[in-house]
């Protein structure tokens, strides 16, 4: 039998790590805090990249690449930025057998080095808007790590744009947040709340930060993407100016926005079960596995050949329909072992085909998330698989959204907030004071996630201080 996972009810964290390692998504590295992304995990990242990259390009964004090493002095140019990132920096002081005149920081994010280039490239309003994205790795030193969710090195994309006006920058910030929301919901089948972060939770150096927040199966929040209106902070630090339509010099208005391999962790935590990984079909590398059955041992060779011929013909038809297909005809493993193995690794649909099925011109299909057998005529197999995958994508989103909605509550007192701290998303009034926010976190473990655009804002009283509140905000424990 394929390896069993720790059940979620016995230990959610253990289940998560078990699944990642046994489904061969990632492994621990000898480099402290870093992970090795295995082919199964990297295939997910490639599909995430492929879809997102097209979405970015559809919004006029082009790809570029900037150095991994950033002069330390660049980070010091924007005071709030360096203060925010300082505890996480990895610094190179020696190279080529000697001490460097100036240390280099290994990229934690690229606002500073990209702004150095922007200040050279932008001269006039005709050079704007400038819309760039970078697919890269970054390093932020982490003391407590968790595969995919928080590692010292991770893969991501970071978008950086420059604009003539604050209004244009704000519009781009929200446009890219909407790209993230669309990707999360339409492709990952992961419902999210888009909204604005508080001042204490915003990106270091930003004017405003927006995020999409998802709820995992353990009712904790996951920040799945952020979009920042940087204002003119970095432009002023690096003197990124342009001659405006009025003939005067102006600093550009900027945005940055990013998402990372953390999305793979979000996908696992949103959909998977005790049998293993469940992947939304739109992001799956392998949509279908076909397993020949009933042809082992003393089965006649002619019968075996007939089954295998049909198996490969069906595989070819499914591939022509644009699906990722694997034929598992490994005779050293039993069908039962293979069923468990492909459930563990998250293949969306399993097809079983043997001599008895062939005699009836049918096959058996099993959808990964339902794990129920269905008999399907062979001449309808391709159409049926496509219908199954479409329905599975919709059902995964609905199940996750129903779960989130069932674990979202309005709370009206601090006692209620504290009592429900582990119950999901708590919509509570807060007075807008960072000190109140910090006290709530200290006493309950809850953080503000965002003020969702969809949440109607009505005045009330802060659950902790009783002071006036402009409206409710989402509190939750979070990854």
């Amino acid at each position: 039998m394929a390896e069993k996972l720790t059940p979620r009810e016995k230990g959610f964290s253990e289940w998560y790590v078990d699944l990642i390692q046994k489904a061969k998504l990632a492994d621990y590295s000898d480099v402290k805090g870093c992970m090795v992304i295995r082919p199964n995990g990297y295939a997910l990242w490639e599909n995430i990249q492929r879809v997102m990259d097209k979405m970015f390009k559809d919004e006029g964004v082009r790809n570029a690449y900037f150095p991994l090493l950033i002069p330390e002095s660049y980070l010091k140019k924007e005071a709030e930025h360096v203060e925010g990132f300082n505890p996480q920096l990895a610094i190179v002081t020696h190279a080529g057998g000697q001490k460097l005149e100036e240390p280099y920081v290994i990229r934690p994010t690229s606002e500073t080095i990209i702004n150095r280039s922007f200040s050279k490239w932008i001269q006039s309003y005709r050079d704007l808007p400038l819309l760039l994205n970078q697919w890269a790795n970054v390093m932020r030193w982490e003391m407590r790590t968790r595969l995919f969710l928080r590692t010292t090195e991770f893969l991501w994309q970071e978008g950086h744009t420059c604009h003539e006006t604050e209004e244009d920058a704000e519009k781009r910030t929200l446009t890219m947040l909407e790209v993230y929301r669309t990707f999360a919901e339409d492709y990952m089948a992961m419902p999210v709340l888009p909204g604005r972060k508080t001042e204490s939770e915003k990106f270091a150096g930003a004017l405003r930060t927006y995020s999409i927040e998802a709820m995992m199966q353990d009712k904790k929040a996951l920040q799945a993407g952020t979009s920042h209106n940087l204002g003119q902070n970095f432009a002023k630090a690096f003197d990124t100016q342009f001659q405006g339509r009025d003939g005067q010099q102006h600093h550009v208005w900027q945005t940055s926005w990013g998402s990372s391999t953390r999305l793979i962790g979000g996908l696992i935590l949103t959909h998977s079960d005790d049998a293993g990984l469940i992947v939304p079909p739109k992001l799956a590398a392998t949509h279908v596995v076909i397993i020949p059955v009933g042809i082992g041992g003393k089965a006649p060779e002619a019968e075996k050949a007939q089954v295998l011929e049909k198996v490969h013909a069906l595989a070819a038809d499914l591939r022509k329909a644009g699906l990722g297909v694997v034929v598992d005809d490994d005779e050293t493993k039993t069908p039962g072992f293979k069923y468990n193995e492909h459930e563990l690794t998250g293949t969306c649909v399993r097809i079983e085909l043997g001599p008895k099925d062939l005699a009836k011109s049918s096959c058996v299909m099993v959808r990964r998330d339902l794990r129920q057998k269905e008999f399907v005529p062979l001449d309808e197999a391709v159409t049926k698989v496509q219908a199954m995958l479409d329905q599975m994508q919709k059902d995964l989103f609905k199940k996750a959204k129903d779960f989130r909605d069932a674990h979202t509550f309005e709370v009206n007192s601090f006692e209620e907030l504290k009592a429900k701290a582990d119950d999901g998303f708590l919509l509570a009034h807060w007075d807008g004071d960072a000190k109140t926010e910090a006290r709530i976190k200290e006493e309950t473990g809850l953080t503000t996630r965002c003020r969702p655009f969809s949440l109607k804002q009505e005045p009330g009283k802060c659950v902790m201080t009783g002071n006036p509140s402009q409206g409710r905000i989402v509190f939750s424990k979070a990854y």
Side-chain angles (χ1 to χ4, degrees), residues 78 81 111-112 115 203-206 230-240 254:
E78 214 293 323
H81 188 66
E111 276 75 11
T112 56
N115 258 281
F203 178 73
L230 300 177
Q232 295 178 311
N233 292 344
F234 289 92
K236 287 175 179 174
F238 286 85
D239 204 26
T240 309
Q254 291 183 290

Side-chain angles (χ1 to χ4, degrees), residues 311-331:
V311 160
H312 287 287
L314 178 56
D317 289 342
L318 289 163
R319 288 184 186 117
K320 278 179 197 166
L323 301 176
V325 184
V326 167
V327 173
D328 193 342
D329 55 4
D330 184 347
E331 294 182 16

Side-chain angles (χ1 to χ4, degrees), residues 66 134 176 189 282 290 341 356 407 412:
F66 295 84
Q134 168 171 256
M176 299 319 293
K282 285 187 181 180
I290 308 176
E341 189 171 46
K356 291 178 182 176
H407 296 93
N412 297 302

